[in-house]
Amino acid sequence: MKKYAIIIEKAENNYAAYVPDVPGCIATGYTLEEVKNEIKEALEFHFEGMLEDGDTIPYPASICDYVDVEVEVSILSGGGFMSTDC
């Protein structure tokens, strides 16, 4: 079993996920749990197709991490943030 990094983005009404190491493998879901399940199924399906076509399954190489950034911000009415420095 290999572990692949996924990126999950919040859209207006749902979530979207993609896999940096597997171009073209995407999924959507209304909840975080749903999009995680959908991207797992999408990866499995994608890999099955790659193997049927004689392609090599890409090795998981992407690394996920976070950085702390200190920025003076003002809270907007929509729940977002706006930098006062820009």
Side-chain angles (χ1 to χ4, degrees):
M1 178 181 291
K2 295 179 182 176
K3 188 179 279 193
Y4 286 83
I6 63 171
I7 305 299
I8 300 173
E9 298 175 341
K10 177 70 175 116
E12 187 174 330
N13 297 313
N14 66 339
Y15 293 89
Y18 66 93
V19 185
D21 294 319
V22 186
C25 188
I26 61 170
T28 61
Y30 288 108
T31 66
L32 284 172
E33 182 178 343
E34 183 179 13
V35 77
K36 288 177 186 180
N37 288 332
E38 293 293 327
I39 196 67
K40 182 179 184 293
E41 289 181 17
L43 269 171
E44 292 167 349
F45 183 74
H46 198 88
F47 290 160
E48 287 174 10
M50 291 179 73
L51 291 173
E52 287 175 6
D53 292 342
D55 295 331
T56 303
I57 293 178
Y59 185 79
S62 293
I63 300 170
C64 297
D65 206 346
Y66 292 87
V67 295
D68 293 322
V69 179
E70 290 188 35
V71 184
E72 186 178 331
V73 295
S74 298
I75 299 176
L76 299 175
S77 62
F81 294 95
M82 180 179 72
S83 171
T84 57
D85 297 330
C86 297

Coordinates of all heavy atoms in Angstrom, one line a residue:
M1 N 0.9 -1.2 0.0 CA 0.0 0.0 0.0 C 0.9 1.2 0.0 O 1.9 1.3 0.7 CB -0.9 0.0 1.2 CG -1.8 1.2 1.3 SD -2.9 1.3 2.7 CE -4.0 0.0 2.4
K2 N 0.6 2.2 -0.8 CA 1.3 3.5 -0.9 C 0.4 4.6 -0.5 O -0.8 4.5 -0.6 CB 1.8 3.7 -2.3 CG 2.8 2.7 -2.8 CD 3.2 3.0 -4.2 CE 4.2 1.9 -4.7 NZ 4.6 2.1 -6.1
K3 N 1.0 5.6 0.1 CA 0.2 6.8 0.6 C 0.5 8.0 -0.3 O 1.6 8.4 -0.5 CB 0.6 7.1 2.0 CG -0.2 8.2 2.7 CD 0.2 8.4 4.1 CE -0.4 7.4 5.0 NZ -0.2 7.7 6.4
Y4 N -0.6 8.5 -0.9 CA -0.5 9.6 -1.9 C -1.0 10.9 -1.2 O -2.0 10.9 -0.5 CB -1.3 9.4 -3.1 CG -0.6 8.4 -4.0 CD1 -0.8 7.0 -3.8 CD2 0.2 8.8 -5.1 CE1 -0.1 6.1 -4.6 CE2 0.8 7.8 -5.9 CZ 0.7 6.5 -5.7 OH 1.3 5.6 -6.5
A5 N -0.3 12.0 -1.4 CA -0.7 13.3 -1.0 C -1.9 13.7 -1.8 O -1.9 13.5 -3.0 CB 0.4 14.3 -1.1
I6 N -2.9 14.3 -1.2 CA -4.1 14.9 -1.9 C -4.2 16.3 -1.5 O -3.9 16.7 -0.3 CB -5.4 14.1 -1.6 CG1 -5.8 14.2 -0.1 CG2 -5.2 12.7 -2.1 CD1 -7.2 13.6 0.1
I7 N -4.7 17.1 -2.4 CA -5.0 18.5 -2.1 C -6.5 18.7 -2.1 O -7.2 18.3 -3.1 CB -4.4 19.5 -3.1 CG1 -2.9 19.2 -3.2 CG2 -4.7 20.9 -2.8 CD1 -2.1 19.5 -1.9
I8 N -7.1 19.2 -1.1 CA -8.5 19.4 -1.0 C -8.8 20.9 -1.0 O -8.2 21.7 -0.2 CB -9.2 18.8 0.2 CG1 -8.9 17.3 0.2 CG2 -10.6 19.1 0.3 CD1 -9.3 16.5 1.5
E9 N -9.6 21.4 -1.9 CA -10.0 22.8 -2.0 C -11.5 23.0 -1.7 O -12.3 22.2 -2.1 CB -9.7 23.4 -3.3 CG -8.2 23.3 -3.6 CD -7.9 23.7 -5.1 OE1 -8.8 23.8 -5.9 OE2 -6.7 24.1 -5.3
K10 N -11.8 24.0 -0.9 CA -13.2 24.3 -0.7 C -13.8 25.1 -1.8 O -13.2 26.2 -2.2 CB -13.4 25.1 0.7 CG -14.8 25.5 1.0 CD -15.7 24.3 1.3 CE -17.0 24.8 1.8 NZ -18.1 24.4 0.9
A11 N -14.8 24.7 -2.4 CA -15.5 25.4 -3.5 C -16.8 26.1 -2.8 O -17.0 25.9 -1.6 CB -15.9 24.5 -4.6
E12 N -17.6 26.7 -3.6 CA -18.7 27.4 -3.0 C -19.7 26.4 -2.3 O -20.2 26.7 -1.2 CB -19.5 28.2 -4.1 CG -20.6 29.1 -3.6 CD -21.2 30.0 -4.6 OE1 -20.5 30.4 -5.6 OE2 -22.4 30.3 -4.5
N13 N -20.0 25.3 -3.0 CA -21.0 24.4 -2.4 C -20.5 23.0 -2.2 O -21.3 22.1 -1.8 CB -22.2 24.3 -3.4 CG -22.9 25.6 -3.6 OD1 -23.2 26.3 -2.6 ND2 -23.1 26.0 -4.8
N14 N -19.2 22.8 -2.4 CA -18.6 21.4 -2.2 C -17.1 21.5 -2.0 O -16.6 22.6 -1.8 CB -19.0 20.5 -3.3 CG -18.3 21.0 -4.6 OD1 -18.0 22.1 -4.8 ND2 -18.2 20.1 -5.6
Y15 N -16.5 20.3 -2.0 CA -15.0 20.2 -2.0 C -14.5 19.6 -3.2 O -15.2 18.7 -3.8 CB -14.6 19.4 -0.7 CG -14.9 20.1 0.6 CD1 -16.2 19.9 1.2 CD2 -14.0 20.9 1.2 CE1 -16.5 20.5 2.4 CE2 -14.3 21.5 2.4 CZ -15.5 21.3 3.0 OH -15.8 21.9 4.2
A16 N -13.3 19.9 -3.6 CA -12.7 19.3 -4.8 C -11.3 18.8 -4.3 O -10.7 19.5 -3.5 CB -12.6 20.2 -5.9
A17 N -10.9 17.6 -4.8 CA -9.6 17.1 -4.5 C -8.9 16.6 -5.7 O -9.5 16.3 -6.7 CB -9.8 15.9 -3.5
Y18 N -7.5 16.7 -5.6 CA -6.7 16.2 -6.7 C -5.4 15.6 -6.1 O -5.1 15.9 -4.9 CB -6.4 17.3 -7.8 CG -5.5 18.4 -7.3 CD1 -4.1 18.4 -7.5 CD2 -6.1 19.6 -6.8 CE1 -3.3 19.5 -7.1 CE2 -5.3 20.6 -6.4 CZ -3.9 20.6 -6.5 OH -3.2 21.6 -6.1
V19 N -4.7 14.9 -6.9 CA -3.5 14.2 -6.5 C -2.3 14.7 -7.3 O -2.2 14.5 -8.5 CB -3.6 12.7 -6.7 CG1 -2.4 11.9 -6.1 CG2 -4.9 12.2 -6.1
P20 N -1.4 15.5 -6.6 CA -0.3 16.1 -7.4 C 0.5 15.1 -8.2 O 1.0 15.4 -9.3 CB 0.5 16.8 -6.3 CG -0.4 17.1 -5.2 CD -1.4 15.9 -5.2
D21 N 0.7 13.9 -7.7 CA 1.5 12.9 -8.3 C 0.8 12.1 -9.4 O 1.4 11.3 -10.1 CB 2.1 11.9 -7.3 CG 3.0 12.6 -6.3 OD1 3.9 13.4 -6.8 OD2 3.0 12.3 -5.1
V22 N -0.5 12.3 -9.6 CA -1.3 11.6 -10.5 C -2.1 12.6 -11.3 O -3.3 12.8 -11.1 CB -2.2 10.5 -9.9 CG1 -2.8 9.7 -10.9 CG2 -1.4 9.7 -8.9
P23 N -1.5 13.2 -12.3 CA -2.3 14.2 -13.1 C -3.5 13.6 -13.7 O -3.6 12.5 -14.2 CB -1.3 14.6 -14.3 CG 0.1 14.3 -13.7 CD -0.1 13.1 -12.8
G24 N -4.6 14.4 -13.6 CA -5.9 14.0 -14.2 C -6.8 13.3 -13.2 O -7.9 13.0 -13.5
C25 N -6.3 12.9 -12.0 CA -7.1 12.2 -11.0 C -7.7 13.3 -10.1 O -7.0 13.9 -9.3 CB -6.2 11.2 -10.2 SG -7.2 10.2 -9.2
I26 N -9.0 13.4 -10.2 CA -9.7 14.4 -9.4 C -11.0 13.9 -8.9 O -11.5 12.8 -9.4 CB -10.0 15.7 -10.2 CG1 -10.9 15.4 -11.4 CG2 -8.7 16.4 -10.7 CD1 -11.5 16.6 -12.2
A27 N -11.6 14.5 -7.9 CA -12.9 14.1 -7.3 C -13.5 15.3 -6.6 O -12.8 16.2 -6.2 CB -12.7 12.9 -6.3
T28 N -14.8 15.2 -6.4 CA -15.6 16.2 -5.7 C -16.5 15.5 -4.7 O -16.8 14.3 -4.8 CB -16.4 17.1 -6.6 OG1 -17.4 16.3 -7.3 CG2 -15.6 17.8 -7.6
G29 N -16.9 16.2 -3.7 CA -17.8 15.7 -2.7 C -18.4 16.9 -1.9 O -17.8 18.0 -1.8
Y30 N -19.6 16.7 -1.3 CA -20.2 17.7 -0.5 C -19.6 17.9 0.8 O -19.8 19.0 1.4 CB -21.7 17.5 -0.4 CG -22.4 17.7 -1.8 CD1 -22.9 16.6 -2.5 CD2 -22.6 19.0 -2.3 CE1 -23.5 16.8 -3.7 CE2 -23.2 19.2 -3.5 CZ -23.7 18.1 -4.2 OH -24.3 18.3 -5.4
T31 N -19.0 16.9 1.4 CA -18.3 17.0 2.7 C -16.9 16.5 2.5 O -16.5 15.9 1.5 CB -19.0 16.0 3.7 OG1 -18.8 14.7 3.3 CG2 -20.5 16.3 3.8
L32 N -16.1 16.8 3.6 CA -14.7 16.4 3.5 C -14.6 14.9 3.5 O -13.8 14.3 2.8 CB -13.9 16.9 4.8 CG -13.6 18.4 4.7 CD1 -13.0 18.9 6.1 CD2 -12.5 18.7 3.6
E33 N -15.4 14.2 4.3 CA -15.4 12.8 4.3 C -15.7 12.2 2.9 O -15.1 11.3 2.4 CB -16.4 12.2 5.3 CG -16.4 10.7 5.4 CD -17.3 10.2 6.5 OE1 -17.8 11.0 7.4 OE2 -17.7 9.0 6.4
E34 N -16.7 12.8 2.3 CA -17.1 12.3 1.0 C -16.0 12.5 -0.1 O -15.7 11.6 -0.9 CB -18.4 13.0 0.5 CG -18.9 12.5 -0.8 CD -20.2 13.2 -1.3 OE1 -20.6 14.2 -0.7 OE2 -20.8 12.7 -2.2
V35 N -15.4 13.7 -0.1 CA -14.4 13.9 -1.1 C -13.2 13.0 -0.9 O -12.5 12.6 -1.8 CB -14.0 15.4 -1.2 CG1 -13.1 15.9 0.0 CG2 -13.3 15.8 -2.5
K36 N -12.8 12.7 0.4 CA -11.7 11.8 0.7 C -12.0 10.4 0.2 O -11.2 9.8 -0.4 CB -11.4 11.8 2.2 CG -10.8 13.0 2.7 CD -10.5 13.0 4.2 CE -10.0 14.3 4.7 NZ -9.8 14.2 6.2
N37 N -13.3 10.0 0.4 CA -13.7 8.6 -0.1 C -13.7 8.6 -1.7 O -13.2 7.7 -2.3 CB -15.0 8.2 0.4 CG -15.0 7.9 1.9 OD1 -14.0 7.4 2.4 ND2 -16.2 8.1 2.5
E38 N -14.2 9.7 -2.2 CA -14.2 9.8 -3.7 C -12.8 9.8 -4.4 O -12.6 9.2 -5.4 CB -15.0 11.0 -4.1 CG -16.5 10.9 -3.8 CD -17.3 9.8 -4.5 OE1 -16.9 9.6 -5.7 OE2 -18.2 9.3 -4.0
I39 N -11.9 10.5 -3.7 CA -10.5 10.6 -4.4 C -9.8 9.3 -4.2 O -9.1 8.9 -5.1 CB -9.7 11.8 -3.8 CG1 -8.5 12.1 -4.7 CG2 -9.3 11.6 -2.4 CD1 -8.8 12.6 -6.1
K40 N -10.1 8.6 -3.1 CA -9.5 7.2 -2.9 C -10.0 6.3 -4.0 O -9.3 5.6 -4.7 CB -9.8 6.7 -1.6 CG -9.3 5.3 -1.3 CD -9.6 4.8 0.1 CE -9.0 3.5 0.5 NZ -9.5 2.4 -0.3
E41 N -11.3 6.3 -4.3 CA -11.9 5.5 -5.3 C -11.4 5.9 -6.7 O -11.2 5.1 -7.6 CB -13.5 5.6 -5.3 CG -14.1 4.9 -4.1 CD -15.6 4.9 -4.1 OE1 -16.2 5.3 -5.2 OE2 -16.2 4.7 -3.0
A42 N -11.3 7.2 -6.9 CA -10.8 7.7 -8.2 C -9.3 7.2 -8.4 O -9.0 6.9 -9.6 CB -10.8 9.2 -8.2
L43 N -8.5 7.2 -7.4 CA -7.1 6.8 -7.5 C -7.1 5.3 -7.9 O -6.4 4.9 -8.8 CB -6.4 7.0 -6.2 CG -5.6 8.3 -6.1 CD1 -5.1 8.4 -4.7 CD2 -4.5 8.3 -7.1
E44 N -7.9 4.5 -7.2 CA -8.0 3.1 -7.5 C -8.4 2.8 -8.9 O -7.8 2.0 -9.7 CB -8.9 2.4 -6.5 CG -8.3 2.3 -5.1 CD -9.3 1.9 -4.0 OE1 -10.5 1.9 -4.3 OE2 -8.9 1.7 -2.9
F45 N -9.4 3.5 -9.4 CA -9.9 3.4 -10.7 C -8.9 3.8 -11.8 O -8.7 3.2 -12.8 CB -11.2 4.2 -10.9 CG -11.9 4.0 -12.2 CD1 -12.5 2.9 -12.6 CD2 -11.8 5.1 -13.1 CE1 -13.1 2.8 -13.9 CE2 -12.4 5.0 -14.4 CZ -13.1 3.8 -14.7
H46 N -8.2 4.9 -11.5 CA -7.2 5.5 -12.3 C -6.1 4.5 -12.5 O -5.6 4.3 -13.6 CB -6.7 6.8 -11.7 CG -6.0 7.7 -12.7 ND1 -6.6 8.6 -13.5 CD2 -4.7 7.8 -13.0 CE1 -5.7 9.3 -14.2 NE2 -4.5 8.8 -13.9
F47 N -5.6 3.9 -11.4 CA -4.5 3.0 -11.4 C -4.9 1.7 -12.2 O -4.1 1.1 -12.9 CB -4.0 2.6 -10.0 CG -3.3 3.8 -9.3 CD1 -3.2 3.8 -8.0 CD2 -2.8 4.8 -10.0 CE1 -2.6 4.8 -7.3 CE2 -2.1 5.9 -9.4 CZ -2.0 5.9 -8.0
E48 N -6.1 1.2 -12.0 CA -6.6 0.1 -12.8 C -6.5 0.3 -14.3 O -6.0 -0.5 -15.0 CB -8.0 -0.3 -12.4 CG -8.2 -0.9 -11.0 CD -9.6 -1.1 -10.6 OE1 -10.5 -1.0 -11.5 OE2 -9.9 -1.4 -9.5
G49 N -6.9 1.5 -14.7 CA -6.9 1.9 -16.1 C -5.4 2.0 -16.6 O -5.1 1.5 -17.7
M50 N -4.6 2.5 -15.8 CA -3.1 2.6 -16.1 C -2.5 1.3 -16.3 O -1.8 1.0 -17.3 CB -2.4 3.4 -15.1 CG -2.7 4.9 -15.0 SD -1.8 5.8 -13.7 CE -0.2 5.9 -14.5
L51 N -2.8 0.3 -15.4 CA -2.3 -1.0 -15.5 C -2.8 -1.7 -16.8 O -2.0 -2.4 -17.5 CB -2.6 -1.8 -14.3 CG -1.8 -1.3 -13.0 CD1 -2.3 -2.1 -11.8 CD2 -0.3 -1.5 -13.1
E52 N -4.1 -1.6 -17.0 CA -4.7 -2.2 -18.3 C -4.0 -1.6 -19.5 O -3.9 -2.4 -20.5 CB -6.2 -1.9 -18.3 CG -7.0 -2.7 -17.3 CD -8.4 -2.3 -17.3 OE1 -8.9 -1.5 -18.1 OE2 -9.2 -2.8 -16.4
D53 N -3.6 -0.4 -19.5 CA -2.9 0.3 -20.6 C -1.4 0.0 -20.7 O -0.7 0.5 -21.6 CB -3.2 1.8 -20.6 CG -4.6 2.1 -20.9 OD1 -5.4 1.3 -21.4 OD2 -5.0 3.3 -20.6
G54 N -0.9 -0.7 -19.7 CA 0.5 -1.0 -19.6 C 1.4 0.1 -19.1 O 2.6 0.1 -19.3
D55 N 0.7 1.1 -18.5 CA 1.5 2.3 -17.9 C 2.0 1.9 -16.5 O 1.5 1.1 -15.8 CB 0.5 3.5 -17.8 CG 0.1 4.0 -19.2 OD1 0.8 3.8 -20.2 OD2 -1.0 4.6 -19.3
T56 N 3.0 2.7 -16.1 CA 3.6 2.5 -14.8 C 2.8 3.4 -13.8 O 2.6 4.6 -14.2 CB 5.1 2.9 -14.8 OG1 5.7 2.1 -15.8 CG2 5.7 2.7 -13.5
I57 N 2.5 2.9 -12.7 CA 1.9 3.7 -11.7 C 2.9 4.7 -11.1 O 4.0 4.2 -10.6 CB 1.2 2.9 -10.6 CG1 0.0 2.1 -11.2 CG2 0.7 3.7 -9.4 CD1 -0.7 1.1 -10.3
P58 N 2.6 6.0 -11.0 CA 3.6 6.9 -10.5 C 3.9 6.7 -9.0 O 3.0 6.4 -8.2 CB 3.0 8.3 -10.7 CG 1.5 8.0 -10.9 CD 1.4 6.6 -11.4
Y59 N 5.1 6.9 -8.6 CA 5.5 6.8 -7.2 C 5.0 8.0 -6.5 O 5.2 9.2 -7.0 CB 7.0 6.7 -7.1 CG 7.5 6.4 -5.7 CD1 7.5 5.1 -5.2 CD2 8.1 7.5 -5.0 CE1 7.9 4.9 -3.9 CE2 8.5 7.2 -3.7 CZ 8.4 6.0 -3.2 OH 8.9 5.7 -1.9
P60 N 4.5 7.9 -5.3 CA 4.1 9.1 -4.5 C 5.4 9.9 -4.0 O 6.1 9.4 -3.2 CB 3.3 8.5 -3.3 CG 3.8 7.1 -3.2 CD 4.2 6.7 -4.6
A61 N 5.5 11.0 -4.6 CA 6.7 11.8 -4.2 C 6.4 13.2 -3.6 O 7.3 13.8 -3.0 CB 7.6 12.0 -5.5
S62 N 5.2 13.6 -3.7 CA 4.8 15.0 -3.2 C 4.8 14.9 -1.7 O 4.5 13.9 -1.1 CB 3.5 15.4 -3.7 OG 3.5 15.6 -5.1
I63 N 5.2 16.1 -1.1 CA 5.2 16.2 0.4 C 4.3 17.4 0.7 O 4.3 18.4 0.1 CB 6.6 16.5 0.9 CG1 7.6 15.4 0.5 CG2 6.7 16.8 2.3 CD1 9.0 15.7 0.7
C64 N 3.5 17.1 1.7 CA 2.5 18.2 2.2 C 3.1 18.7 3.5 O 3.5 18.0 4.4 CB 1.2 17.6 2.5 SG 0.4 17.0 1.0
D65 N 3.0 20.0 3.7 CA 3.4 20.6 4.9 C 2.7 22.0 5.0 O 2.0 22.4 4.1 CB 4.9 20.8 5.0 CG 5.4 20.8 6.4 OD1 4.6 21.0 7.4 OD2 6.6 20.7 6.6
Y66 N 2.8 22.6 6.1 CA 2.3 24.0 6.3 C 3.4 24.9 6.8 O 4.3 24.5 7.4 CB 1.1 23.9 7.4 CG -0.1 23.2 6.9 CD1 -0.2 21.8 7.1 CD2 -1.1 23.9 6.3 CE1 -1.3 21.2 6.7 CE2 -2.3 23.2 5.9 CZ -2.3 21.8 6.1 OH -3.5 21.2 5.6
V67 N 3.2 26.2 6.6 CA 4.1 27.2 7.1 C 3.2 28.2 7.9 O 2.1 28.5 7.6 CB 4.9 27.9 6.1 CG1 5.8 27.0 5.4 CG2 4.0 28.6 5.0
D68 N 3.8 28.7 9.0 CA 3.1 29.8 9.8 C 3.5 31.1 9.2 O 4.7 31.4 8.9 CB 3.6 29.7 11.2 CG 3.1 28.5 11.9 OD1 2.0 28.0 11.7 OD2 3.9 27.9 12.7
V69 N 2.5 31.9 8.9 CA 2.7 33.3 8.4 C 2.0 34.3 9.3 O 0.8 34.1 9.5 CB 2.2 33.4 6.9 CG1 2.4 34.7 6.4 CG2 2.8 32.3 6.1
E70 N 2.8 35.3 9.7 CA 2.2 36.3 10.5 C 1.8 37.5 9.6 O 2.7 38.0 9.0 CB 3.1 36.7 11.6 CG 3.3 35.7 12.7 CD 4.1 36.1 13.9 OE1 4.0 37.3 14.2 OE2 4.9 35.3 14.4
V71 N 0.6 37.8 9.6 CA 0.1 38.9 8.7 C -1.0 39.6 9.5 O -1.9 39.0 10.1 CB -0.5 38.4 7.4 CG1 -0.9 39.5 6.5 CG2 0.4 37.4 6.7
E72 N -0.9 41.0 9.5 CA -2.0 41.7 10.1 C -3.2 41.6 9.2 O -3.1 41.9 8.0 CB -1.5 43.2 10.3 CG -2.5 44.0 11.1 CD -2.1 45.5 11.2 OE1 -0.8 45.7 11.3 OE2 -2.9 46.3 11.3
V73 N -4.3 41.2 9.8 CA -5.5 41.0 8.9 C -6.7 41.7 9.6 O -6.8 41.9 10.7 CB -5.8 39.5 8.7 CG1 -4.7 38.8 8.0 CG2 -6.0 38.8 10.1
S74 N -7.7 41.9 8.7 CA -9.0 42.4 9.1 C -10.0 41.4 8.7 O -9.9 40.9 7.6 CB -9.3 43.7 8.4 OG -8.4 44.7 8.8
I75 N -10.9 41.0 9.5 CA -11.9 40.1 9.2 C -13.0 40.7 8.3 O -13.5 41.8 8.7 CB -12.6 39.5 10.5 CG1 -11.5 38.8 11.3 CG2 -13.7 38.5 10.1 CD1 -12.0 38.2 12.6
L76 N -13.3 40.1 7.2 CA -14.3 40.6 6.3 C -15.7 40.0 6.7 O -15.8 39.0 7.3 CB -14.0 40.2 4.8 CG -12.7 40.8 4.3 CD1 -12.4 40.2 2.9 CD2 -12.7 42.3 4.3
S77 N -16.8 40.6 6.2 CA -18.1 40.2 6.6 C -18.4 38.8 6.0 O -19.2 38.0 6.5 CB -19.2 41.1 6.1 OG -19.1 41.2 4.7
G78 N -17.7 38.4 4.9 CA -17.9 37.1 4.3 C -17.2 36.0 5.0 O -17.2 34.8 4.5
G79 N -16.5 36.2 6.1 CA -15.8 35.2 6.8 C -14.3 35.0 6.3 O -13.6 34.2 6.8
G80 N -13.9 35.8 5.3 CA -12.6 35.7 4.8 C -11.7 36.7 5.5 O -12.1 37.4 6.4
F81 N -10.4 36.8 5.1 CA -9.5 37.7 5.7 C -8.9 38.6 4.6 O -8.7 38.2 3.4 CB -8.4 37.0 6.4 CG -8.8 36.2 7.6 CD1 -9.2 34.9 7.5 CD2 -9.0 36.8 8.8 CE1 -9.6 34.2 8.6 CE2 -9.4 36.1 9.9 CZ -9.7 34.8 9.8
M82 N -8.6 39.8 4.9 CA -7.9 40.7 4.0 C -6.7 41.3 4.6 O -6.8 41.8 5.8 CB -8.9 41.8 3.5 CG -8.2 42.8 2.5 SD -9.4 44.1 2.0 CE -9.5 45.1 3.5
S83 N -5.6 41.3 4.0 CA -4.4 41.8 4.6 C -4.5 43.4 4.6 O -4.9 43.9 3.6 CB -3.1 41.4 3.8 OG -2.0 42.1 4.2
T84 N -4.1 44.0 5.6 CA -4.1 45.4 5.7 C -2.7 46.0 5.1 O -2.6 47.2 5.0 CB -4.3 46.0 7.1 OG1 -3.3 45.4 7.9 CG2 -5.7 45.6 7.6
D85 N -1.8 45.1 4.8 CA -0.5 45.5 4.3 C -0.4 45.6 2.8 O 0.5 46.1 2.3 CB 0.6 44.5 4.8 CG 0.7 44.5 6.3 OD1 0.4 45.5 7.0 OD2 1.0 43.4 6.9
C86 N -1.4 45.0 2.1 CA -1.2 44.9 0.6 C -1.9 46.1 0.0 O -2.9 46.5 0.3 CB -1.8 43.6 0.1 SG -1.0 42.2 0.7

